[in-house]
Amino acid sequence: MAGEMSFARVLIANRGEIARRIQRGCRKLGLETVAVFSEADRNAPFVGEADHAVCIGRAAPSESYLNIDAILGAARATGAGAVHPGYGFLSENAGFAAAVEAAGLVFIGPEPGAMAMMGSKIEANAAAEAAGVPVLPGYRGEDQSDARLLEEARALGTPFLVKASAGGGGRGMRLVTDLADAPEAIASARSEAKGAFGDAAVFLERYAPCARHVEVQVLGDSHGTVLHLGDRDCSLQRNHQKLIEEAPAADLPEALRDDMRSAAVRLAQSIHYRSAGTVEYLYDPARGEYYFLEMNTRLQVEHTVTEAITGIDLVEWQLRIARGEALSQSDVQFDGHAIEVRIAAESPAENFRPETGRITLWAPPAGVRLDSGVAAGSIVGHHYDSMLAKLIVHAPDRAGAIRQAVAAIDAFAVGGVGLNLSYQRALLTHPEFQAFRHHTSGLAELFPDGWAKPTPAAQDMALTAVALHQHLSPSGASPWERLGSWRLTDPAGRPGAASYWNSSEDEPIRVTGAGALLSTILPDGQSIETEAAALTGDRLSGRIEGVPFSRVAHIERAGDHWRVHLQTPAGMTVTDLRTLEDQHLARAGVGAGGADLLTAPMPGAVAEVRVTPGDRIAAGDTLVVLEAMKLLQSLPAPCAGVVTEIFCAPGDTVAGHAPLVKLDPEEQT
């Protein structure tokens, strides 16, 4: 494919953030795009942003994004001249690449033969050895009998890995630390490999327990030129899935770095590699050695950090190379340090439980690169990978990049679906990561007692209540003048009060004060004074004890309560709060009263509460004194009985029909 290839329309055989990323690359070159989408993705951003879009099946990947016939049919129907596979799904399927070319289309990626060779880890290791690339000691022979594998296991010694030849992402992989466990490890690895990849072949490889994952980006054209674009470190992983990636790989001996890069180019040249690819290594700092791990024959998730430090648009060059253009930049320049944080819909504090639902708030930070597949209103379902977006920062050095990444996470507010941002922040700020002492299997060492999501400190909780307080008040007036029945004005010289309930607390957070000075009283009795508090756009500002503050703050309605996203020194916190009305409705359902429930006859302020839970009262006894329209009204008990719950306190404001006191009526005889 050394000649010029012409195409004006590219079908993107993928979804989410990578589909949008490829669309941007196509627009840069004036190429039209075709999105293929499943029924579940009909309203996804990548569909609406494409020039053409075709539904190719139901939500299950096997019925859509893995359906080769449907994808090729969409290409024919829309007149696409080329197909870009993105990453994941069919991106490293040599059969798909061959089918694209057989259909007369351009496959934006490597030759199917090179893809097939690197897709077999046994063949890939053989090719690496032939190219003079160091490989880990192990067994990669064709004899797959139990007897031969166990014999080789004994010769290799523990610890070692059983790995699927066609595997990836940790699937079909088993660690053996005791030879007695080898038969079961081999059997289970085979079984998983067969189910996941349709190939039960396995191989054995020495295990490097504290290794780092270092990879080299290569770019090859159809004219025999192969360049390296530097290296990356992807050592922070969970279950062999990368969490945070950075470029360049820090703390590498320069001679070893140069050797890794040269070895990657040699391997790519030896297989006549075309397009973007990544040669991955394990680096053993204790031995000062590196070993070939695999070659990814596609664009990597973490390609963004290489783009950041080189200024080279990898998607653009994939498209140019696919058109037959020759690489024009032989002297690649590197600048600064870049970090990518993968943003996933999961709950790390709950054993990384996947999160699904509708994104109600999507407020990313400004000034940094965000490759995202979602927006406010997007539905996160269970059919696809949990990664929704990638946050990429670039700074002169690694420490600066870490600071930028943390600052960006601290300003990122998302509602409706839980994300792993707080966990990623904890990784970035961990001393082991900052000192570059982490490794591929060391995640558990960072949090030996587990990881818990941070909770707001006292001052942060106070500001959370103040943020909601200001949100519920139109701008330009004192908070005590602008909330109608929901806030108590001060006609008699008595300061106003508002209460907000956190679901984890029985006692409310109370905000009192007048003018520019607010006092927030927490359930534990702490009192924090805020001066000149104002919520403007997405920022809460003011002073505490004379010290100015300015925090990112987003408020959203979430069902029967308010959700406050507040930037704090520990990161972005999310707190659910209920107003007095919300609390009433949550405890008592709708606000209509019955024989056992005292309700407010009209909006007003609670002047007195004359009972406590457990009091026995007679019908007609005064339970609450309400101030409304400058008059005090005594509200009598609707029946005799025992007070079971009180939904208000002196100083609270209430709406008409709001529940005030609940009774357990006496039985009538």
Side-chain angles (χ1 to χ4, degrees):
M1 187 182 155
E4 289 287 326
M5 303 292 290
S6 177
F7 53 85
R9 187 173 296 166
V10 178
L11 182 144
I12 302 167
N14 220 295
R15 64 180 298 277
E17 58 86 18
I18 186 55
R20 297 178 84 185
R21 169 69 186 95
I22 296 166
Q23 287 171 353
R24 293 198 301 273
C26 288
R27 285 194 292 270
K28 192 172 180 179
L29 295 179
L31 301 172
E32 292 186 7
T33 59
V34 178
V36 292
F37 62 93
S38 72
E39 292 175 357
D41 280 336
R42 187 174 297 276
N43 297 314
F46 78 92
V47 177
E49 293 168 359
D51 297 297
H52 310 272
V54 179
C55 182
I56 55 171
R58 299 170 67 179
S62 61
E63 300 181 49
S64 51
Y65 298 107
L66 296 176
N67 187 332
I68 294 176
D69 289 340
I71 292 170
L72 294 180
R76 287 191 296 269
T78 57
V83 174
H84 195 307
Y87 45 68
F89 294 129
L90 295 168
S91 62
E92 291 184 284
N93 186 312
F96 176 58
V100 169
E101 294 188 352
L105 307 173
V106 176
F107 182 75
I108 301 173
E111 299 272 354
M115 185 181 293
M117 179 184 296
M118 292 297 104
S120 164
K121 289 185 171 53
I122 291 175
E123 290 187 47
N125 273 277
E129 280 190 290
V133 182
V135 299
L136 278 164
Y139 172 70
R140 301 174 182 86
E142 294 183 2
D143 186 348
Q144 290 283 302
S145 67
D146 288 350
R148 181 61 184 274
L149 288 169
L150 290 172
E151 177 186 347
E152 295 292 343
R154 286 190 289 270
L156 183 60
T158 57
F160 67 88
L161 290 169
V162 184
K163 300 176 74 172
S165 176
R171 305 197 66 181
M173 182 186 298
R174 299 293 185 273
L175 173 63
V176 178
T177 57
D178 186 331
L179 281 173
D181 299 328
E184 171 59 26
I186 291 169
S188 61
R190 276 177 172 159
S191 176
E192 185 175 9
K194 180 66 176 177
F197 312 112
D199 184 349
V202 298
F203 63 99
L204 311 181
E205 194 171 77
R206 187 175 76 194
Y207 176 62
C210 294
R212 283 172 48 192
H213 184 124
V214 178
E215 57 191 35
V216 174
Q217 177 74 61
V218 295
L219 197 60
D221 63 20
S222 301
H223 306 274
T225 300
V226 176
L227 305 176
H228 78 76
L229 304 184
D231 44 77
R232 303 185 286 250
D233 188 283
C234 309
S235 300
L236 210 49
Q237 302 178 8
R238 187 181 72 84
N239 294 337
H240 308 287
Q241 296 293 320
K242 300 166 186 173
L243 297 172
I244 294 173
E245 301 104 341
E246 52 187 311
D251 199 29
L252 281 182
E254 287 306 309
L256 184 138
R257 187 193 307 276
D258 291 342
D259 199 41
M260 281 182 168
R261 293 173 171 180
S262 298
V265 171
R266 286 199 308 273
L267 175 58
Q269 288 173 329
S270 73
I271 62 172
H272 309 290
Y273 193 81
R274 179 190 74 208
S275 195
T278 303
V279 178
E280 303 195 352
Y281 301 111
L282 283 180
Y283 166 52
D284 187 345
R287 295 173 178 263
E289 298 174 347
Y290 72 94
Y291 312 98
F292 175 76
L293 183 62
E294 63 181 343
M295 183 176 187
N296 281 286
T297 54
R298 56 171 168 81
L299 194 69
Q300 291 278 87
V301 175
E302 59 272 20
H303 75 276
T304 60
V305 291
T306 294
E307 291 181 327
I309 66 168
T310 63
I312 294 174
D313 186 322
L314 282 168
V315 173
E316 177 188 351
W317 270 104
Q318 281 190 298
L319 295 165
R320 290 184 179 278
I321 289 167
R323 294 197 305 200
E325 295 183 32
L327 287 167
S328 60
Q329 186 170 356
S330 58
D331 183 20
V332 180
Q333 301 295 316
F334 302 102
D335 174 44
H337 198 93
I339 289 178
E340 175 183 278
V341 176
R342 298 193 185 194
I343 301 172
E346 60 189 17
S347 176
E350 299 174 273
N351 197 28
F352 296 89
R353 174 178 56 81
E355 293 272 346
T356 59
R358 182 185 295 275
I359 295 176
T360 56
L361 172 68
W362 185 258
V368 296
R369 176 175 173 179
L370 183 75
D371 285 12
S372 170
V374 297
S378 293
I379 300 294
V380 179
H382 65 278
H383 296 285
Y384 312 118
D385 189 272
S386 64
M387 191 183 78
L388 305 184
K390 305 176 308 192
L391 183 70
I392 304 100
V393 297
H394 181 224
D397 54 32
R398 185 172 188 262
I402 291 174
R403 288 193 298 270
Q404 278 196 27
V406 171
I409 289 174
D410 287 352
F412 204 141
V414 180
V417 176
L419 299 185
N420 65 337
L421 283 167
S422 293
Y423 181 75
Q424 294 285 56
R425 184 189 195 278
L427 294 176
L428 288 165
T429 56
H430 198 286
E432 293 295 295
F433 177 78
Q434 296 196 343
F436 222 89
R437 290 193 293 264
H438 59 288
H439 52 87
T440 56
S441 57
L443 196 62
E445 299 172 8
L446 300 186
F447 305 109
D449 299 322
W451 179 81
K453 191 173 182 177
T455 56
Q459 187 177 100
D460 301 325
M461 184 58 78
L463 290 181
T464 296
V466 168
L468 178 58
H469 193 70
Q470 298 287 29
H471 175 77
L472 294 175
S473 308
S475 62
S478 162
W480 312 116
E481 299 172 351
R482 51 198 174 187
L483 294 179
S485 65
W486 291 110
R487 294 294 177 270
L488 177 64
T489 58
D490 191 19
R494 187 172 61 249
S499 296
Y500 302 99
W501 280 261
N502 182 349
S503 58
S504 64
E505 298 282 354
D506 293 328
E507 295 296 319
I509 302 170
R510 298 180 65 77
V511 181
T512 65
L517 183 64
L518 300 178
S519 179
T520 305
I521 304 170
L522 301 177
D524 64 2
Q526 292 188 70
S527 179
I528 296 171
E529 291 192 343
T530 309
E531 302 171 79
L535 183 65
T536 306
D538 63 354
R539 283 214 164 257
L540 177 70
S541 60
R543 297 187 301 277
I544 294 179
E545 296 181 353
V547 178
F549 67 84
S550 179
R551 307 277 189 90
V552 174
H554 291 272
I555 320 293
E556 60 169 334
R557 188 67 180 171
D560 63 351
H561 59 275
W562 295 94
R563 182 161 291 153
V564 182
H565 305 257
L566 183 72
Q567 181 185 28
T568 77
M572 183 69 72
T573 59
V574 181
T575 306
D576 291 341
L577 292 177
R578 285 192 170 100
T579 63
L580 180 63
E581 180 184 31
D582 297 332
Q583 188 74 347
H584 290 336
L585 297 177
R587 290 181 175 179
V590 296
D596 61 345
L597 186 65
L598 174 69
T599 62
M602 64 182 68
V606 176
E608 296 180 60
V609 177
R610 295 187 177 179
V611 290
T612 59
D615 287 352
R616 184 173 297 278
I617 50 88
D621 285 354
T622 297
L623 305 184
V624 174
V625 177
L626 188 70
E627 181 182 297
M629 300 180 70
K630 301 184 179 180
L631 297 175
L632 295 176
Q633 298 185 58
S634 297
L635 305 183
C639 63
V642 176
V643 176
T644 59
E645 289 188 271
I646 298 174
F647 306 124
C648 61
D652 287 344
T653 58
V654 294
H657 309 296
L660 302 178
V661 178
K662 186 172 178 59
L663 306 172
D664 181 10
E666 286 185 353
E667 293 186 6
Q668 300 296 317
T669 58

